[in-house]
């Protein structure tokens, strides 16, 4: 089981879109995916037809489980999405209170890791949609993942969020005595705008070693896919947004080499 | 409107430390069995070690070994490439000022700075940052940045460092002792309150003496 966390300490950069679209592509390849909605806003849950305001249990329940995690108890919190190979551990609005409830209780950053360990044989991939702020949920997501994906909107202000995210990651690695790979994914790229081109240039200069050298372009079909509650790759596989995520997935799975920056932007 | 001045910049590290303490608490894995296995140094040994330190060039020390409780021990904090490390005082053989008399050795490893002869003893000086700080986090330093040499392993080895700060007294449970030592045998544990890595000096000296030492990845 591989765990990918999708995080950025800035909202609106494409975290949920990245989570859903990659899950759709993985599921279409036959991989069993569990999506974890770790954002109390519950965008991912809403996308997949679940209401965080009325949701009982879900991820929240795992933080109130005492003792060892039993596989059956974790599975009880998981919902089927109606899409083959995609299940959901949903968010609930109550998750917003977790930081206040748990404070700095030792070990609370490892809850999700322990819960997911019981599902090791049930899923090939776990994708965690993170909240946009540092707190117990993000710490759990960063502590458990094998790979961190950081979508970054290609505009100047979003770069600050990326800087903060990388800094958080470094502190987590220091605390865990471990090294974690991260991949920066330029999103919402509009090559007609100077802001997009400029931001991408800065990303290439500052994050060369961790940057996926292609981009996710702006595509109105993403909005349509979320309106219908379907991963874009399942709704319209040939759109440029879906194709871009397909390329990203191939890169993440090590199937293709990085493109040169010039080729990526053409 | 409040004007930003240089004073406010000096407090930047404080919130970071708060965040780090928060992360360490959430991510702590406490293993009481390991804590129990750790040997408590004898008070006399500590006193002896402190005398060694006081006779060398160390700056100010504020605490003494006297009056230590049974589960207490002392460590010396030092900085290497922007990262804080510590050695237990009872494993410290002394501290020297950085010297221009260190003789580099041709064709030696990246981590080997050279040899310093002190009181007729040859001390092998190690670029500590190359051994213990992963290259990703390592701050590039020049020779002028190295200020002190920490002597370990019967003074056969000298660990180059940027600065020596202070001696502090810890209780056993102040340290998050390392469970798995296979990956970084030199790391005994971490001291969350002071955000530093505590060296296992014996393992470190053994590692330096072996032929298998690799730079930190």
């Amino acid at each position: 089981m591989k765990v990918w966390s999708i995080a950025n300490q800035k909202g609106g950069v494409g975290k949920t879109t990245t989570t859903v679209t990659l899950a759709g592509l993985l599921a279409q390849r036959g991989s069993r995916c569990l999506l974890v909605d770790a954002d109390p806003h519950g965008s991912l849950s809403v996308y997949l037809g679940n209401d965080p305001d009325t949701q009982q249990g879900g991820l929240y329940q795992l933080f109130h489980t005492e003792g060892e995690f039993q596989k059956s108890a974790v599975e009880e919190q998981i919902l089927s999405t109606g899409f083959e190979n995609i299940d959901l551990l949903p968010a609930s609005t109550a998750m917003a209170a977790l930081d206040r409830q748990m404070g700095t209780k030792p070990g609370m950053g490892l809850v999700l890791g322990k819960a997911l360990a019981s599902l090791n044989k049930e899923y090939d991939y776990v994708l965690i949609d993170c909240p946009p702020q540092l707190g117990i949920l993000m710490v759990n997501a960063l502590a458990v993942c094998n790979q961190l994906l950081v979508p970054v909107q290609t505009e100047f202000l979003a770069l600050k969020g990326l800087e903060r995210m990388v800094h958080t990651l470094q502190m987590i690695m220091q605390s865990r005595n471990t090294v974690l790979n991260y991949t920066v994914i330029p999103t919402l790229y509009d090559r007609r705008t100077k802001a997009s081109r400029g931001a991408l240039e800065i990303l290439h200069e500052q994050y060369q070693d961790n940057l996926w050298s292609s981009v996710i372009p702006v595509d109105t079909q993403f909005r349509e896919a979320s309106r219908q509650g379907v991963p874009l790759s399942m709704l319209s596989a040939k759109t440029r947004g879906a194709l871009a995520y397909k390329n990203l997935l191939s890169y993440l799975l090590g199937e293709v080499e990085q493109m040169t920056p010039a080729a990526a932007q053409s | 409107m409040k004007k930003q001045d240089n004073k406010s910049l000096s407090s930047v590290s404080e919130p970071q430390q708060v965040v780090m303490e928060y992360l360490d608490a959430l991510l702590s894995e406490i293993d009481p069995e390991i804590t129990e296995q750790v040997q408590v140094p004898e008070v006399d040994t500590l006193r002896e070690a402190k005398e060694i330190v006081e006779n060398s060039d160390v700056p100010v020390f504020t605490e003494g070994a006297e009056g230590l409780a049974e589960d207490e021990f002392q460590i010396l904090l030092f900085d290497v490439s922007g990262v804080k490390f510590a050695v237990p005082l009872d494993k410290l053989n002394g501290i020297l000022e950085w010297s221009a008399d260190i003789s580099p050795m041709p064709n030696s490893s990246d981590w080997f700075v050279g040899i310093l002869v002190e009181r007729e003893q040859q001390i092998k000086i190690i670029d500590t940052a190359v051994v213990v700080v992963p290259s990703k986090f390592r701050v590039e330093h020049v020779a002028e940045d190295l200020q002190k040499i920490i002597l370990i392993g019967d003074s056969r080895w000298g660990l180059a460092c940027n600065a020596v700060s202070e001696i502090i007294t810890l209780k056993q449970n102040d340290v998050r002792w390392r469970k798995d030592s296979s990956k970084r045998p030199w790391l005994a544990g971490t001291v969350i309150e002071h955000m530093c890595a505590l060296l296992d000096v014996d393992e470190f000296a053994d590692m330096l003496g072996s032929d298998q030492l690799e730079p930190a990845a």
Side-chain angles (χ1 to χ4, degrees):
Chain A
M1 183 170 78
K2 286 183 178 165
V3 183
W4 295 352
S5 286
I6 297 91
N8 190 333
Q9 281 169 263
K10 183 180 183 309
V13 297
K15 289 188 288 288
T16 302
T17 302
T18 299
T19 308
V20 172
T21 315
L22 287 177
L25 289 160
L26 284 165
Q28 285 172 301
R29 284 170 170 240
S31 298
R32 297 163 302 165
C33 299
L34 173 65
L35 300 186
V36 178
D37 192 351
D39 186 349
H41 287 119
S43 302
L44 176 63
S45 301
V46 173
Y47 193 121
L48 296 168
N50 200 263
D51 181 5
D53 291 335
T54 56
Q55 175 64 45
Q56 301 290 315
L59 178 56
Y60 177 80
Q61 186 59 42
L62 299 183
F63 286 89
H64 290 84
T65 301
E66 288 180 5
E68 296 283 306
F69 281 104
Q70 300 298 323
K71 185 180 154 199
S72 57
V74 180
E75 281 177 330
E76 266 178 35
Q77 307 305 328
I78 292 173
L79 305 174
S80 170
T81 63
F83 299 106
E84 194 181 356
N85 291 327
I86 302 180
D87 288 342
L88 172 70
L89 181 57
S92 59
T93 316
M95 286 181 354
L98 276 176
D99 277 295
R100 188 170 49 78
Q101 290 169 347
M102 301 299 165
T104 55
K105 205 171 156 189
M108 290 313 287
L110 305 170
V111 170
L112 186 55
K114 288 174 183 169
L116 291 179
S118 70
L119 303 174
N120 196 25
K121 289 180 180 162
E122 305 306 312
Y123 295 98
D124 300 307
Y125 288 90
V126 177
L127 274 64
I128 306 172
D129 190 15
C130 293
Q133 69 277 341
L134 179 61
I136 194 168
L137 290 158
M138 185 184 280
V139 172
N140 269 272
L142 295 186
V144 67
C145 70
N146 318 111
Q147 164 88 256
L148 174 66
L149 308 181
V150 190
V152 181
Q153 185 179 354
T154 42
E155 58 120 32
F156 184 72
L157 278 179
L159 300 178
K160 187 69 191 168
L162 172 60
E163 195 181 303
R164 199 174 294 134
M165 188 65 239
V166 171
H167 186 230
T168 300
L169 176 65
Q170 285 171 341
M171 288 196 287
I172 296 260
M173 291 194 291
Q174 192 180 336
S175 183
R176 296 281 288 157
N177 283 325
T178 186
V179 174
L180 179 63
N181 287 325
Y182 72 96
T183 303
V184 175
I185 303 162
T187 59
L188 293 158
Y189 181 72
D190 185 346
R191 65 175 174 167
R192 294 166 301 180
T193 66
K194 199 175 168 185
S196 269
R197 294 196 304 273
L200 189 59
E201 209 168 290
I202 293 171
L203 287 175
H204 276 287
E205 279 167 16
Q206 296 184 356
Y207 296 92
Q208 197 181 10
D209 294 342
N210 295 86
L211 183 70
W212 174 49
S213 63
S214 191
V215 295
I216 303 296
V218 284
D219 187 342
T220 53
Q221 289 302 306
F222 284 122
R223 199 177 301 144
E224 181 56 23
S226 71
R227 195 183 66 78
Q228 295 192 32
V230 180
L232 182 58
S233 61
M234 293 182 176
L235 180 73
S236 187
K238 298 292 179 193
T239 54
R240 54 185 180 154
L243 290 172
Y245 273 108
K246 195 175 172 191
N247 289 338
L248 171 64
L249 183 62
S250 297
Y251 167 71
L252 294 174
L253 298 177
E255 294 170 352
V256 289
E257 295 291 320
Q258 283 270 36
M259 296 167 76
T260 62
Q265 291 171 56
S266 64
Chain B
M1 186 188 293
K2 194 181 168 187
K3 198 179 167 190
Q4 188 173 6
D5 55 18
N6 287 336
K7 254 185 195 172
S8 62
L9 294 176
S10 66
S11 63
V12 165
S13 62
E14 205 174 302
Q16 283 186 4
Q17 190 169 336
V18 171
V19 174
M20 205 61 221
E21 285 170 8
Y22 169 68
L23 294 176
D24 276 325
L26 287 182
L27 297 169
S28 64
E29 291 174 281
I30 300 158
D31 189 339
E33 278 181 23
I34 290 182
T35 311
E36 282 165 18
Q37 285 167 11
V38 176
Q39 297 294 311
V40 181
E42 298 288 334
V43 172
D44 284 345
T45 317
L46 286 173
R47 189 174 297 126
E48 195 181 312
K50 186 168 177 284
E51 279 166 17
I52 295 171
V53 175
E54 281 177 337
N55 291 332
S56 56
D57 309 317
V58 194
V60 186
F61 294 115
T62 54
E63 295 182 46
E66 297 83 2
L68 288 178
E70 224 177 58
D71 68 337
E72 289 179 332
F73 66 108
Q74 291 183 302
I75 60 171
L76 172 75
L77 299 179
F78 63 97
D79 290 316
V80 175
S81 193
V83 182
K84 208 190 279 186
F85 290 87
V87 283
L89 272 201
D90 64 326
K91 298 289 182 183
L92 181 66
N93 300 119
I95 300 171
L96 301 175
E97 287 289 345
W98 189 255
S99 169
D101 296 331
I102 298 170
S103 310
M105 300 291 287
N107 302 321
S108 57
S109 307
D110 287 349
W111 52 267
F112 192 69
V113 180
I115 289 181
L116 175 66
V117 178
E118 180 77 14
R119 294 174 191 169
E120 297 182 350
Q121 184 175 4
Q122 283 196 347
I123 304 166
K124 293 172 183 165
I125 310 298
I126 304 308
D127 191 337
T128 321
V130 177
V131 182
V132 298
V133 182
S135 54
K136 260 189 172 177
F137 305 123
R138 207 178 297 150
V139 179
E140 285 303 320
H141 59 238
V142 291
E144 290 76 44
D145 294 335
L146 297 169
Q147 300 287 328
K148 303 279 182 186
I149 299 167
I150 309 269
L151 300 181
I152 63 165
D154 295 322
S155 299
R156 284 176 297 121
W157 301 104
L159 308 182
C161 66
N162 301 104
V164 170
S165 49
E166 58 179 332
I167 286 181
I168 53 173
T169 302
L170 296 178
K171 288 187 186 300
Q172 291 294 330
N173 56 13
D174 290 334
V175 181
R176 201 170 77 203
W177 299 101
R178 195 102 196 281
K179 279 196 226 171
D180 175 18
S181 61
S182 57
K183 207 172 170 191
R184 295 184 190 86
W186 51 265
L187 181 62
T190 49
V191 185
I192 294 170
E193 194 186 340
H194 296 275
M195 292 319 306
C196 69
L198 180 61
L199 299 186
D200 184 328
V201 173
D202 293 339
E203 282 290 346
F204 202 163
D206 285 352
M207 196 174 84
L208 294 171
S210 75
D211 296 329
Q212 294 152 5
L213 185 61
E214 299 266 340

